[in-house]
Amino acid sequence: MRVVICGGGVIGACTAYFLRRLGIDATVVERTEIAAAASGKAGGFLAQDWCAGTPLDALARRSFALHAQLPAEVAGDWGYRAMSAYSGFVAADSDPRRDSPSALGWLSDGVIVAQRIGTPKTTAIVHPGKFTSATMNGALALGAELRLGRVTGIVRDADEIAAKGVEIDGDLIEADAVVIAMGPWSLLAAQWMSLPAVYGQRSPSIVYDTGADVPADALFLEYDENGSAVSIEVFPRADGSTHVTAFSDVAPLPLDPAVVTPDEDAIARLQAISERLSPAFRADRIIARQACFRPVTQDGLPLIGKVPGSEGLYVATGHNVWGILNAPATGEALAQLIAHGAAGDVDLSPFDPARLRPLDPSLLRAR
Ligand SMILES: Cc1cc2nc3c(=O)[nH]c(=O)nc-3n(C[C@H](O)[C@H](O)[C@H](O)COP(=O)(O)OP(=O)(O)OC[C@H]3O[C@@H](n4cnc5c(N)ncnc54)[C@H](O)[C@@H]3O)c2cc1C
């Protein structure tokens, strides 16, 4: 059986890796480069039990465990490390605590650490781009293929049910099964098959070269920006880079993932907030000013499973803020579903694409 996976983000790379572990032929088709989009620009934060009480809980727990195992199974260094996480806030100018020393010495006065919300047993981090590339390389080492090119359509049999192949820039590669894993660009696949809508939600981020100045603690802080509360996330990574992100907006998704750019005003605001947090965030230490689009579905849960009314068509997208965390268990479960007809480690029924109404393809053609 040959499976073609459309999209070389973290979901596509993990799916290819776990398919090869089951001995299934896998080809990833990527339009730009591996980890070109959100999978290369995310924070990389992982949490074992922060999805407790939601349909994502089992997927997240399984994935958190796989993240801990993969460094021993896949070649490469993507900076997997356990860490603590804290919540807190930045005291406003009118708050008498604005001059209080922070409980974490590298933070500026007035950055109040309120609570420890994750321990090295329950929270961890990876460099998401390096993780995605290493997993893809792990799949290639097991015999997978990577083809650079743009997926422009899906070919089915005469009854329009069974997958026969994928069109890449007009050329056909044959396939017995096809996985749509194009992140927010999976929306385009609703022209070719019956799929619910997937939206892109944009967030800016700044990556600083902080070396050893920032310890391995993730921070989730509230900041008062001219009377409006802003949530900021700070993720120090093992390679000495620190990822800072805040805000999210709904912006038009460019058709070409390579031309995603941040909003300059959002980057300037994020830089000002970062400089308030710590002298470690100096302008001359900025490595990247960037933005990416998270794939989001109507009910906030991913789409993982068989495309309704098809044979051999699958989708894995819509992972929202937890795509890096949930990629290994998604890839593992989808590979089991394709190879054996059912996922063994995680129940995929909460993520069945059939639960949501398919998008009317004429809405896409009208664009
Ligand atoms: C600022 C920010 C911070 C985040 N932080 C975290 C975090 O700390 N922890 C966490 O778990 N998650 C985090 N996320 C979420 C995570 O990044 C995403 O859920 C995840 O990367 C989605 O992966 P994906 O493979 O589905 O999509 P993508 O990474 O978008 O990959 C899709 C791929 O498909 C390719 N493609 C598109 N169209 C085509 C085509 N026609 N043909 C071929 N290829 C195509 C693209 O080039 C791209 O490489 C964050 C997201 C953002 C934006």
Side-chain angles (χ1 to χ4, degrees), residues 51 54-57 59 197-198 295-304 317-320 349-352 355-356:
C51 299
T54 79
L56 283 169
D57 190 37
L59 187 74
V198 182
V296 184
T297 61
Q298 206 181 337
D299 63 4
L301 294 175
L303 305 172
I304 310 171
T317 190
H319 289 73
N320 202 343
S349 59
F351 316 121
D352 185 348
R355 75 187 185 277
L356 295 173

mmCIF file with all atom_site columns, all heavy atoms in Angstrom, residues 51 54-57 59 197-198 295-304 317-320 349-352 355-356:
data_model
loop_
_atom_site.group_PDB
_atom_site.id
_atom_site.type_symbol
_atom_site.label_atom_id
_atom_site.label_alt_id
_atom_site.label_comp_id
_atom_site.label_asym_id
_atom_site.label_entity_id
_atom_site.label_seq_id
_atom_site.pdbx_PDB_ins_code
_atom_site.Cartn_x
_atom_site.Cartn_y
_atom_site.Cartn_z
_atom_site.occupancy
_atom_site.B_iso_or_equiv
_atom_site.pdbx_formal_charge
_atom_site.auth_seq_id
_atom_site.auth_comp_id
_atom_site.auth_asym_id
_atom_site.auth_atom_id
_atom_site.pdbx_PDB_model_num
ATOM 1   N N   . CYS A 1 51  ? -5.261  19.326 28.935 1.00 0.00 ? 51  CYS A N   1
ATOM 2   C CA  . CYS A 1 51  ? -6.502  19.103 28.179 1.00 0.00 ? 51  CYS A CA  1
ATOM 3   C C   . CYS A 1 51  ? -7.465  18.232 28.982 1.00 0.00 ? 51  CYS A C   1
ATOM 4   O O   . CYS A 1 51  ? -8.470  17.747 28.436 1.00 0.00 ? 51  CYS A O   1
ATOM 5   C CB  . CYS A 1 51  ? -6.195  18.461 26.834 1.00 0.00 ? 51  CYS A CB  1
ATOM 6   S SG  . CYS A 1 51  ? -5.146  19.479 25.778 1.00 0.00 ? 51  CYS A SG  1
ATOM 7   N N   . THR A 1 54  ? -11.460 17.426 28.624 1.00 0.00 ? 54  THR A N   1
ATOM 8   C CA  . THR A 1 54  ? -11.895 17.720 27.252 1.00 0.00 ? 54  THR A CA  1
ATOM 9   C C   . THR A 1 54  ? -11.693 16.467 26.403 1.00 0.00 ? 54  THR A C   1
ATOM 10  O O   . THR A 1 54  ? -10.962 15.553 26.795 1.00 0.00 ? 54  THR A O   1
ATOM 11  C CB  . THR A 1 54  ? -11.075 18.882 26.619 1.00 0.00 ? 54  THR A CB  1
ATOM 12  O OG1 . THR A 1 54  ? -9.798  18.354 26.185 1.00 0.00 ? 54  THR A OG1 1
ATOM 13  C CG2 . THR A 1 54  ? -10.851 20.015 27.596 1.00 0.00 ? 54  THR A CG2 1
ATOM 14  N N   . PRO A 1 55  ? -12.283 16.432 25.207 1.00 0.00 ? 55  PRO A N   1
ATOM 15  C CA  . PRO A 1 55  ? -12.097 15.249 24.340 1.00 0.00 ? 55  PRO A CA  1
ATOM 16  C C   . PRO A 1 55  ? -10.640 15.051 23.905 1.00 0.00 ? 55  PRO A C   1
ATOM 17  O O   . PRO A 1 55  ? -10.299 14.002 23.365 1.00 0.00 ? 55  PRO A O   1
ATOM 18  C CB  . PRO A 1 55  ? -12.992 15.558 23.128 1.00 0.00 ? 55  PRO A CB  1
ATOM 19  C CG  . PRO A 1 55  ? -13.985 16.565 23.618 1.00 0.00 ? 55  PRO A CG  1
ATOM 20  C CD  . PRO A 1 55  ? -13.282 17.383 24.656 1.00 0.00 ? 55  PRO A CD  1
ATOM 21  N N   . LEU A 1 56  ? -9.782  16.053 24.136 1.00 0.00 ? 56  LEU A N   1
ATOM 22  C CA  . LEU A 1 56  ? -8.378  15.933 23.718 1.00 0.00 ? 56  LEU A CA  1
ATOM 23  C C   . LEU A 1 56  ? -7.506  15.209 24.739 1.00 0.00 ? 56  LEU A C   1
ATOM 24  O O   . LEU A 1 56  ? -6.340  14.907 24.460 1.00 0.00 ? 56  LEU A O   1
ATOM 25  C CB  . LEU A 1 56  ? -7.771  17.341 23.508 1.00 0.00 ? 56  LEU A CB  1
ATOM 26  C CG  . LEU A 1 56  ? -8.152  18.071 22.228 1.00 0.00 ? 56  LEU A CG  1
ATOM 27  C CD1 . LEU A 1 56  ? -7.689  19.520 22.299 1.00 0.00 ? 56  LEU A CD1 1
ATOM 28  C CD2 . LEU A 1 56  ? -7.537  17.376 21.019 1.00 0.00 ? 56  LEU A CD2 1
ATOM 29  N N   . ASP A 1 57  ? -8.057  14.928 25.912 1.00 0.00 ? 57  ASP A N   1
ATOM 30  C CA  . ASP A 1 57  ? -7.218  14.457 27.028 1.00 0.00 ? 57  ASP A CA  1
ATOM 31  C C   . ASP A 1 57  ? -6.384  13.221 26.682 1.00 0.00 ? 57  ASP A C   1
ATOM 32  O O   . ASP A 1 57  ? -5.156  13.214 26.868 1.00 0.00 ? 57  ASP A O   1
ATOM 33  C CB  . ASP A 1 57  ? -8.105  14.187 28.256 1.00 0.00 ? 57  ASP A CB  1
ATOM 34  C CG  . ASP A 1 57  ? -7.259  13.933 29.497 1.00 0.00 ? 57  ASP A CG  1
ATOM 35  O OD1 . ASP A 1 57  ? -6.208  14.597 29.637 1.00 0.00 ? 57  ASP A OD1 1
ATOM 36  O OD2 . ASP A 1 57  ? -7.639  13.078 30.307 1.00 0.00 ? 57  ASP A OD2 1
ATOM 37  N N   . LEU A 1 59  ? -5.572  11.905 23.787 1.00 0.00 ? 59  LEU A N   1
ATOM 38  C CA  . LEU A 1 59  ? -4.619  12.176 22.707 1.00 0.00 ? 59  LEU A CA  1
ATOM 39  C C   . LEU A 1 59  ? -3.399  12.911 23.265 1.00 0.00 ? 59  LEU A C   1
ATOM 40  O O   . LEU A 1 59  ? -2.249  12.577 22.951 1.00 0.00 ? 59  LEU A O   1
ATOM 41  C CB  . LEU A 1 59  ? -5.300  13.021 21.627 1.00 0.00 ? 59  LEU A CB  1
ATOM 42  C CG  . LEU A 1 59  ? -4.517  13.260 20.338 1.00 0.00 ? 59  LEU A CG  1
ATOM 43  C CD1 . LEU A 1 59  ? -4.488  12.003 19.470 1.00 0.00 ? 59  LEU A CD1 1
ATOM 44  C CD2 . LEU A 1 59  ? -5.126  14.421 19.527 1.00 0.00 ? 59  LEU A CD2 1
ATOM 45  N N   . ALA A 1 197 ? -14.990 22.895 7.128  1.00 0.00 ? 197 ALA A N   1
ATOM 46  C CA  . ALA A 1 197 ? -14.094 24.052 6.974  1.00 0.00 ? 197 ALA A CA  1
ATOM 47  C C   . ALA A 1 197 ? -12.965 24.016 8.006  1.00 0.00 ? 197 ALA A C   1
ATOM 48  O O   . ALA A 1 197 ? -13.147 23.543 9.127  1.00 0.00 ? 197 ALA A O   1
ATOM 49  C CB  . ALA A 1 197 ? -14.900 25.336 7.137  1.00 0.00 ? 197 ALA A CB  1
ATOM 50  N N   . VAL A 1 198 ? -11.811 24.516 7.602  1.00 0.00 ? 198 VAL A N   1
ATOM 51  C CA  . VAL A 1 198 ? -10.676 24.724 8.510  1.00 0.00 ? 198 VAL A CA  1
ATOM 52  C C   . VAL A 1 198 ? -10.272 26.180 8.325  1.00 0.00 ? 198 VAL A C   1
ATOM 53  O O   . VAL A 1 198 ? -10.181 26.653 7.193  1.00 0.00 ? 198 VAL A O   1
ATOM 54  C CB  . VAL A 1 198 ? -9.486  23.810 8.126  1.00 0.00 ? 198 VAL A CB  1
ATOM 55  C CG1 . VAL A 1 198 ? -8.335  23.996 9.102  1.00 0.00 ? 198 VAL A CG1 1
ATOM 56  C CG2 . VAL A 1 198 ? -9.910  22.359 8.085  1.00 0.00 ? 198 VAL A CG2 1
ATOM 57  N N   . PRO A 1 295 ? -4.208  26.012 12.464 1.00 0.00 ? 295 PRO A N   1
ATOM 58  C CA  . PRO A 1 295 ? -5.415  25.471 11.833 1.00 0.00 ? 295 PRO A CA  1
ATOM 59  C C   . PRO A 1 295 ? -6.505  25.230 12.874 1.00 0.00 ? 295 PRO A C   1
ATOM 60  O O   . PRO A 1 295 ? -6.277  24.562 13.885 1.00 0.00 ? 295 PRO A O   1
ATOM 61  C CB  . PRO A 1 295 ? -4.926  24.144 11.224 1.00 0.00 ? 295 PRO A CB  1
ATOM 62  C CG  . PRO A 1 295 ? -3.689  23.776 11.976 1.00 0.00 ? 295 PRO A CG  1
ATOM 63  C CD  . PRO A 1 295 ? -3.154  25.000 12.650 1.00 0.00 ? 295 PRO A CD  1
ATOM 64  N N   . VAL A 1 296 ? -7.680  25.797 12.640 1.00 0.00 ? 296 VAL A N   1
ATOM 65  C CA  . VAL A 1 296 ? -8.770  25.766 13.626 1.00 0.00 ? 296 VAL A CA  1
ATOM 66  C C   . VAL A 1 296 ? -10.055 25.274 12.951 1.00 0.00 ? 296 VAL A C   1
ATOM 67  O O   . VAL A 1 296 ? -10.331 25.671 11.819 1.00 0.00 ? 296 VAL A O   1
ATOM 68  C CB  . VAL A 1 296 ? -9.020  27.193 14.190 1.00 0.00 ? 296 VAL A CB  1
ATOM 69  C CG1 . VAL A 1 296 ? -10.073 27.173 15.279 1.00 0.00 ? 296 VAL A CG1 1
ATOM 70  C CG2 . VAL A 1 296 ? -7.733  27.811 14.707 1.00 0.00 ? 296 VAL A CG2 1
ATOM 71  N N   . THR A 1 297 ? -10.820 24.424 13.639 1.00 0.00 ? 297 THR A N   1
ATOM 72  C CA  . THR A 1 297 ? -12.110 23.967 13.092 1.00 0.00 ? 297 THR A CA  1
ATOM 73  C C   . THR A 1 297 ? -13.256 24.691 13.816 1.00 0.00 ? 297 THR A C   1
ATOM 74  O O   . THR A 1 297 ? -13.034 25.389 14.815 1.00 0.00 ? 297 THR A O   1
ATOM 75  C CB  . THR A 1 297 ? -12.298 22.456 13.314 1.00 0.00 ? 297 THR A CB  1
ATOM 76  O OG1 . THR A 1 297 ? -12.278 22.220 14.718 1.00 0.00 ? 297 THR A OG1 1
ATOM 77  C CG2 . THR A 1 297 ? -11.198 21.661 12.649 1.00 0.00 ? 297 THR A CG2 1
ATOM 78  N N   . GLN A 1 298 ? -14.457 24.419 13.338 1.00 0.00 ? 298 GLN A N   1
ATOM 79  C CA  . GLN A 1 298 ? -15.638 25.108 13.873 1.00 0.00 ? 298 GLN A CA  1
ATOM 80  C C   . GLN A 1 298 ? -15.840 24.802 15.362 1.00 0.00 ? 298 GLN A C   1
ATOM 81  O O   . GLN A 1 298 ? -16.241 25.670 16.120 1.00 0.00 ? 298 GLN A O   1
ATOM 82  C CB  . GLN A 1 298 ? -16.846 24.624 13.083 1.00 0.00 ? 298 GLN A CB  1
ATOM 83  C CG  . GLN A 1 298 ? -17.975 25.599 13.038 1.00 0.00 ? 298 GLN A CG  1
ATOM 84  C CD  . GLN A 1 298 ? -19.124 24.999 12.243 1.00 0.00 ? 298 GLN A CD  1
ATOM 85  O OE1 . GLN A 1 298 ? -18.932 24.103 11.412 1.00 0.00 ? 298 GLN A OE1 1
ATOM 86  N NE2 . GLN A 1 298 ? -20.316 25.496 12.505 1.00 0.00 ? 298 GLN A NE2 1
ATOM 87  N N   . ASP A 1 299 ? -15.563 23.565 15.802 1.00 0.00 ? 299 ASP A N   1
ATOM 88  C CA  . ASP A 1 299 ? -15.776 23.237 17.222 1.00 0.00 ? 299 ASP A CA  1
ATOM 89  C C   . ASP A 1 299 ? -14.468 23.203 18.015 1.00 0.00 ? 299 ASP A C   1
ATOM 90  O O   . ASP A 1 299 ? -14.453 22.789 19.176 1.00 0.00 ? 299 ASP A O   1
ATOM 91  C CB  . ASP A 1 299 ? -16.542 21.901 17.378 1.00 0.00 ? 299 ASP A CB  1
ATOM 92  C CG  . ASP A 1 299 ? -15.780 20.699 16.826 1.00 0.00 ? 299 ASP A CG  1
ATOM 93  O OD1 . ASP A 1 299 ? -14.626 20.873 16.391 1.00 0.00 ? 299 ASP A OD1 1
ATOM 94  O OD2 . ASP A 1 299 ? -16.349 19.592 16.837 1.00 0.00 ? 299 ASP A OD2 1
ATOM 95  N N   . GLY A 1 300 ? -13.375 23.623 17.398 1.00 0.00 ? 300 GLY A N   1
ATOM 96  C CA  . GLY A 1 300 ? -12.104 23.731 18.125 1.00 0.00 ? 300 GLY A CA  1
ATOM 97  C C   . GLY A 1 300 ? -11.346 22.421 18.264 1.00 0.00 ? 300 GLY A C   1
ATOM 98  O O   . GLY A 1 300 ? -10.233 22.404 18.777 1.00 0.00 ? 300 GLY A O   1
ATOM 99  N N   . LEU A 1 301 ? -11.932 21.312 17.810 1.00 0.00 ? 301 LEU A N   1
ATOM 100 C CA  . LEU A 1 301 ? -11.253 20.011 17.903 1.00 0.00 ? 301 LEU A CA  1
ATOM 101 C C   . LEU A 1 301 ? -10.659 19.647 16.540 1.00 0.00 ? 301 LEU A C   1
ATOM 102 O O   . LEU A 1 301 ? -11.191 20.063 15.508 1.00 0.00 ? 301 LEU A O   1
ATOM 103 C CB  . LEU A 1 301 ? -12.245 18.915 18.323 1.00 0.00 ? 301 LEU A CB  1
ATOM 104 C CG  . LEU A 1 301 ? -12.817 19.041 19.725 1.00 0.00 ? 301 LEU A CG  1
ATOM 105 C CD1 . LEU A 1 301 ? -13.877 17.962 19.957 1.00 0.00 ? 301 LEU A CD1 1
ATOM 106 C CD2 . LEU A 1 301 ? -11.719 18.948 20.778 1.00 0.00 ? 301 LEU A CD2 1
ATOM 107 N N   . PRO A 1 302 ? -9.586  18.854 16.538 1.00 0.00 ? 302 PRO A N   1
ATOM 108 C CA  . PRO A 1 302 ? -9.010  18.483 15.243 1.00 0.00 ? 302 PRO A CA  1
ATOM 109 C C   . PRO A 1 302 ? -9.914  17.568 14.431 1.00 0.00 ? 302 PRO A C   1
ATOM 110 O O   . PRO A 1 302 ? -10.863 16.977 14.960 1.00 0.00 ? 302 PRO A O   1
ATOM 111 C CB  . PRO A 1 302 ? -7.712  17.763 15.635 1.00 0.00 ? 302 PRO A CB  1
ATOM 112 C CG  . PRO A 1 302 ? -7.812  17.430 17.074 1.00 0.00 ? 302 PRO A CG  1
ATOM 113 C CD  . PRO A 1 302 ? -8.824  18.347 17.685 1.00 0.00 ? 302 PRO A CD  1
ATOM 114 N N   . LEU A 1 303 ? -9.606  17.480 13.150 1.00 0.00 ? 303 LEU A N   1
ATOM 115 C CA  . LEU A 1 303 ? -10.226 16.492 12.260 1.00 0.00 ? 303 LEU A CA  1
ATOM 116 C C   . LEU A 1 303 ? -9.182  15.412 12.052 1.00 0.00 ? 303 LEU A C   1
ATOM 117 O O   . LEU A 1 303 ? -8.119  15.678 11.483 1.00 0.00 ? 303 LEU A O   1
ATOM 118 C CB  . LEU A 1 303 ? -10.541 17.111 10.888 1.00 0.00 ? 303 LEU A CB  1
ATOM 119 C CG  . LEU A 1 303 ? -11.384 18.378 10.839 1.00 0.00 ? 303 LEU A CG  1
ATOM 120 C CD1 . LEU A 1 303 ? -11.400 18.923 9.403  1.00 0.00 ? 303 LEU A CD1 1
ATOM 121 C CD2 . LEU A 1 303 ? -12.808 18.076 11.303 1.00 0.00 ? 303 LEU A CD2 1
ATOM 122 N N   . ILE A 1 304 ? -9.437  14.200 12.551 1.00 0.00 ? 304 ILE A N   1
ATOM 123 C CA  . ILE A 1 304 ? -8.477  13.100 12.363 1.00 0.00 ? 304 ILE A CA  1
ATOM 124 C C   . ILE A 1 304 ? -9.297  11.870 11.984 1.00 0.00 ? 304 ILE A C   1
ATOM 125 O O   . ILE A 1 304 ? -10.085 11.369 12.806 1.00 0.00 ? 304 ILE A O   1
ATOM 126 C CB  . ILE A 1 304 ? -7.671  12.777 13.648 1.00 0.00 ? 304 ILE A CB  1
ATOM 127 C CG1 . ILE A 1 304 ? -7.069  14.042 14.269 1.00 0.00 ? 304 ILE A CG1 1
ATOM 128 C CG2 . ILE A 1 304 ? -6.555  11.761 13.325 1.00 0.00 ? 304 ILE A CG2 1
ATOM 129 C CD1 . ILE A 1 304 ? -6.439  13.813 15.648 1.00 0.00 ? 304 ILE A CD1 1
ATOM 130 N N   . THR A 1 317 ? -5.902  17.443 10.607 1.00 0.00 ? 317 THR A N   1
ATOM 131 C CA  . THR A 1 317 ? -5.614  18.875 10.718 1.00 0.00 ? 317 THR A CA  1
ATOM 132 C C   . THR A 1 317 ? -6.493  19.495 11.808 1.00 0.00 ? 317 THR A C   1
ATOM 133 O O   . THR A 1 317 ? -7.213  18.791 12.512 1.00 0.00 ? 317 THR A O   1
ATOM 134 C CB  . THR A 1 317 ? -5.832  19.584 9.362  1.00 0.00 ? 317 THR A CB  1
ATOM 135 O OG1 . THR A 1 317 ? -5.311  20.925 9.478  1.00 0.00 ? 317 THR A OG1 1
ATOM 136 C CG2 . THR A 1 317 ? -7.295  19.662 8.964  1.00 0.00 ? 317 THR A CG2 1
ATOM 137 N N   . GLY A 1 318 ? -6.397  20.822 11.967 1.00 0.00 ? 318 GLY A N   1
ATOM 138 C CA  . GLY A 1 318 ? -7.245  21.529 12.930 1.00 0.00 ? 318 GLY A CA  1
ATOM 139 C C   . GLY A 1 318 ? -6.751  21.385 14.361 1.00 0.00 ? 318 GLY A C   1
ATOM 140 O O   . GLY A 1 318 ? -7.542  21.475 15.299 1.00 0.00 ? 318 GLY A O   1
ATOM 141 N N   . HIS A 1 319 ? -5.444  21.244 14.552 1.00 0.00 ? 319 HIS A N   1
ATOM 142 C CA  . HIS A 1 319 ? -4.918  20.998 15.900 1.00 0.00 ? 319 HIS A CA  1
ATOM 143 C C   . HIS A 1 319 ? -4.768  22.274 16.730 1.00 0.00 ? 319 HIS A C   1
ATOM 144 O O   . HIS A 1 319 ? -4.325  22.193 17.884 1.00 0.00 ? 319 HIS A O   1
ATOM 145 C CB  . HIS A 1 319 ? -3.588  20.252 15.825 1.00 0.00 ? 319 HIS A CB  1
ATOM 146 C CG  . HIS A 1 319 ? -3.736  18.823 15.391 1.00 0.00 ? 319 HIS A CG  1
ATOM 147 N ND1 . HIS A 1 319 ? -4.037  18.479 14.098 1.00 0.00 ? 319 HIS A ND1 1
ATOM 148 C CD2 . HIS A 1 319 ? -3.640  17.662 16.074 1.00 0.00 ? 319 HIS A CD2 1
ATOM 149 C CE1 . HIS A 1 319 ? -4.113  17.163 13.998 1.00 0.00 ? 319 HIS A CE1 1
ATOM 150 N NE2 . HIS A 1 319 ? -3.885  16.633 15.182 1.00 0.00 ? 319 HIS A NE2 1
ATOM 151 N N   . ASN A 1 320 ? -5.070  23.410 16.145 1.00 0.00 ? 320 ASN A N   1
ATOM 152 C CA  . ASN A 1 320 ? -5.155  24.660 16.897 1.00 0.00 ? 320 ASN A CA  1
ATOM 153 C C   . ASN A 1 320 ? -3.879  24.928 17.705 1.00 0.00 ? 320 ASN A C   1
ATOM 154 O O   . ASN A 1 320 ? -2.795  24.816 17.165 1.00 0.00 ? 320 ASN A O   1
ATOM 155 C CB  . ASN A 1 320 ? -6.417  24.586 17.785 1.00 0.00 ? 320 ASN A CB  1
ATOM 156 C CG  . ASN A 1 320 ? -6.922  25.951 18.208 1.00 0.00 ? 320 ASN A CG  1
ATOM 157 O OD1 . ASN A 1 320 ? -6.217  26.948 18.121 1.00 0.00 ? 320 ASN A OD1 1
ATOM 158 N ND2 . ASN A 1 320 ? -8.148  26.006 18.663 1.00 0.00 ? 320 ASN A ND2 1
ATOM 159 N N   . SER A 1 349 ? -12.753 8.699  17.786 1.00 0.00 ? 349 SER A N   1
ATOM 160 C CA  . SER A 1 349 ? -14.136 9.088  17.452 1.00 0.00 ? 349 SER A CA  1
ATOM 161 C C   . SER A 1 349 ? -14.471 10.560 17.756 1.00 0.00 ? 349 SER A C   1
ATOM 162 O O   . SER A 1 349 ? -15.233 11.164 17.001 1.00 0.00 ? 349 SER A O   1
ATOM 163 C CB  . SER A 1 349 ? -15.150 8.137  18.097 1.00 0.00 ? 349 SER A CB  1
ATOM 164 O OG  . SER A 1 349 ? -15.007 8.122  19.485 1.00 0.00 ? 349 SER A OG  1
ATOM 165 N N   . PRO A 1 350 ? -13.882 11.205 18.815 1.00 0.00 ? 350 PRO A N   1
ATOM 166 C CA  . PRO A 1 350 ? -14.227 12.632 19.005 1.00 0.00 ? 350 PRO A CA  1
ATOM 167 C C   . PRO A 1 350 ? -13.744 13.520 17.863 1.00 0.00 ? 350 PRO A C   1
ATOM 168 O O   . PRO A 1 350 ? -14.181 14.663 17.746 1.00 0.00 ? 350 PRO A O   1
ATOM 169 C CB  . PRO A 1 350 ? -13.489 13.016 20.304 1.00 0.00 ? 350 PRO A CB  1
ATOM 170 C CG  . PRO A 1 350 ? -13.113 11.740 20.965 1.00 0.00 ? 350 PRO A CG  1
ATOM 171 C CD  . PRO A 1 350 ? -12.990 10.709 19.878 1.00 0.00 ? 350 PRO A CD  1
ATOM 172 N N   . PHE A 1 351 ? -12.820 12.975 17.029 1.00 0.00 ? 351 PHE A N   1
ATOM 173 C CA  . PHE A 1 351 ? -12.223 13.807 15.985 1.00 0.00 ? 351 PHE A CA  1
ATOM 174 C C   . PHE A 1 351 ? -12.706 13.415 14.585 1.00 0.00 ? 351 PHE A C   1
ATOM 175 O O   . PHE A 1 351 ? -12.170 13.876 13.582 1.00 0.00 ? 351 PHE A O   1
ATOM 176 C CB  . PHE A 1 351 ? -10.680 13.697 16.062 1.00 0.00 ? 351 PHE A CB  1
ATOM 177 C CG  . PHE A 1 351 ? -10.179 13.780 17.480 1.00 0.00 ? 351 PHE A CG  1
ATOM 178 C CD1 . PHE A 1 351 ? -9.442  12.740 18.050 1.00 0.00 ? 351 PHE A CD1 1
ATOM 179 C CD2 . PHE A 1 351 ? -10.488 14.874 18.268 1.00 0.00 ? 351 PHE A CD2 1
ATOM 180 C CE1 . PHE A 1 351 ? -9.020  12.801 19.366 1.00 0.00 ? 351 PHE A CE1 1
ATOM 181 C CE2 . PHE A 1 351 ? -10.070 14.938 19.588 1.00 0.00 ? 351 PHE A CE2 1
ATOM 182 C CZ  . PHE A 1 351 ? -9.338  13.904 20.148 1.00 0.00 ? 351 PHE A CZ  1
ATOM 183 N N   . ASP A 1 352 ? -13.723 12.539 14.540 1.00 0.00 ? 352 ASP A N   1
ATOM 184 C CA  . ASP A 1 352 ? -14.258 12.050 13.269 1.00 0.00 ? 352 ASP A CA  1
ATOM 185 C C   . ASP A 1 352 ? -14.719 13.245 12.405 1.00 0.00 ? 352 ASP A C   1
ATOM 186 O O   . ASP A 1 352 ? -15.573 14.028 12.839 1.00 0.00 ? 352 ASP A O   1
ATOM 187 C CB  . ASP A 1 352 ? -15.460 11.133 13.574 1.00 0.00 ? 352 ASP A CB  1
ATOM 188 C CG  . ASP A 1 352 ? -16.008 10.469 12.321 1.00 0.00 ? 352 ASP A CG  1
ATOM 189 O OD1 . ASP A 1 352 ? -15.616 10.884 11.207 1.00 0.00 ? 352 ASP A OD1 1
ATOM 190 O OD2 . ASP A 1 352 ? -16.833 9.551  12.467 1.00 0.00 ? 352 ASP A OD2 1
ATOM 191 N N   . ARG A 1 355 ? -18.437 14.496 12.003 1.00 0.00 ? 355 ARG A N   1
ATOM 192 C CA  . ARG A 1 355 ? -19.258 15.178 13.030 1.00 0.00 ? 355 ARG A CA  1
ATOM 193 C C   . ARG A 1 355 ? -19.645 16.599 12.619 1.00 0.00 ? 355 ARG A C   1
ATOM 194 O O   . ARG A 1 355 ? -20.582 17.176 13.176 1.00 0.00 ? 355 ARG A O   1
ATOM 195 C CB  . ARG A 1 355 ? -18.502 15.233 14.367 1.00 0.00 ? 355 ARG A CB  1
ATOM 196 C CG  . ARG A 1 355 ? -17.388 16.276 14.386 1.00 0.00 ? 355 ARG A CG  1
ATOM 197 C CD  . ARG A 1 355 ? -16.538 16.239 15.622 1.00 0.00 ? 355 ARG A CD  1
ATOM 198 N NE  . ARG A 1 355 ? -15.568 17.310 15.671 1.00 0.00 ? 355 ARG A NE  1
ATOM 199 C CZ  . ARG A 1 355 ? -14.383 17.307 15.073 1.00 0.00 ? 355 ARG A CZ  1
ATOM 200 N NH1 . ARG A 1 355 ? -14.011 16.268 14.365 1.00 0.00 ? 355 ARG A NH1 1
ATOM 201 N NH2 . ARG A 1 355 ? -13.586 18.361 15.162 1.00 0.00 ? 355 ARG A NH2 1
ATOM 202 N N   . LEU A 1 356 ? -18.915 17.177 11.659 1.00 0.00 ? 356 LEU A N   1
ATOM 203 C CA  . LEU A 1 356 ? -19.178 18.563 11.250 1.00 0.00 ? 356 LEU A CA  1
ATOM 204 C C   . LEU A 1 356 ? -19.717 18.584 9.823  1.00 0.00 ? 356 LEU A C   1
ATOM 205 O O   . LEU A 1 356 ? -19.365 17.742 9.001  1.00 0.00 ? 356 LEU A O   1
ATOM 206 C CB  . LEU A 1 356 ? -17.888 19.391 11.313 1.00 0.00 ? 356 LEU A CB  1
ATOM 207 C CG  . LEU A 1 356 ? -17.280 19.585 12.709 1.00 0.00 ? 356 LEU A CG  1
ATOM 208 C CD1 . LEU A 1 356 ? -15.922 20.278 12.597 1.00 0.00 ? 356 LEU A CD1 1
ATOM 209 C CD2 . LEU A 1 356 ? -18.207 20.398 13.599 1.00 0.00 ? 356 LEU A CD2 1
#
